[in-house]
Amino acid sequence: MRVYLVRHGIAAPGGTELDEHRPLTDDGRRLFRLSAAIWAEQGGSPTRWIVSPLVRAVQTCEIGLAAFGLDGPVEVTTALAPDARVSAAAQLVDDRYGETLALVGHLPLIGALAAFLLGLRSVPAPLQPGAILALDLPEGEGAPRLAWHLVPGEPPKLLVPPA
């Protein structure tokens, strides 16, 4: 099973508006469009998209969908909000086991979820705004692994499993 964990793109700084209303910046949109295009070239289109209800995450998800030539469906859930519990986010994966998932959310949750799913104590890679992690979770025996990590503006770092 493949799970893509996506941190939202660069968002407008906090200010007078509520945190949940902060949109992506123009740069955030541009950089995530580039990353999403590379992501789509890697293949393995997600069959289910699940996103935090915060504006910047929804906008990031929309850009991802467009890169794959999709327009939905999208499931919006507070289980991917910044202050959500890792157990709630992990339950999303358990409930949809066998599907190819794209989960779009925020730090610290996305990093903590990656560590949890991989059986690690901490995030396996720095998660800058717009970063994408591709995780392979075995359906039988075997250990979960980080397949690749995409940092906005860089080619994906493909990780070869140990021999």
Side-chain angles (χ1 to χ4, degrees):
M1 168 181 187
R2 172 69 55 98
V3 176
Y4 298 99
L5 300 179
V6 182
R7 181 178 177 201
H8 66 78
I10 301 167
T16 57
E17 62 185 289
L18 294 173
D19 181 59
E20 55 265 18
H21 296 146
R22 290 191 303 127
L24 295 180
T25 63
D26 290 342
D27 221 24
R29 288 176 180 277
R30 181 184 61 77
L31 286 171
F32 195 72
R33 270 191 209 98
L34 295 172
S35 294
I38 294 169
W39 178 15
E41 288 172 10
Q42 298 296 315
S45 177
T47 56
R48 184 177 302 259
W49 295 73
I50 307 173
V51 62
S52 157
L54 279 65
V55 169
R56 57 194 179 271
V58 171
Q59 290 174 332
T60 300
C61 183
E62 289 169 346
I63 293 168
L65 284 163
F68 284 97
L70 303 170
D71 59 4
V74 174
E75 180 180 337
V76 179
T77 177
T78 57
L80 294 176
D83 59 352
R85 299 174 63 109
V86 172
S87 59
Q91 191 65 49
L92 295 171
V93 176
D94 285 347
D95 290 347
R96 292 150 186 87
Y97 203 81
E99 295 185 58
T100 302
L101 303 177
L103 305 179
V104 184
H106 315 264
L107 284 185
L109 179 69
I110 289 294
L113 179 60
F116 177 81
L117 293 174
L118 292 168
L120 302 172
R121 289 182 181 210
S122 62
V123 176
L127 295 178
Q128 294 146 330
I132 304 166
L133 297 175
L135 309 181
D136 288 327
L137 306 179
E139 294 185 32
E141 291 188 27
R145 73 179 187 95
L146 175 61
W148 54 261
H149 173 215
L150 180 59
V151 175
E154 297 180 13
K157 294 175 183 159
L158 300 173
L159 304 168
V160 179

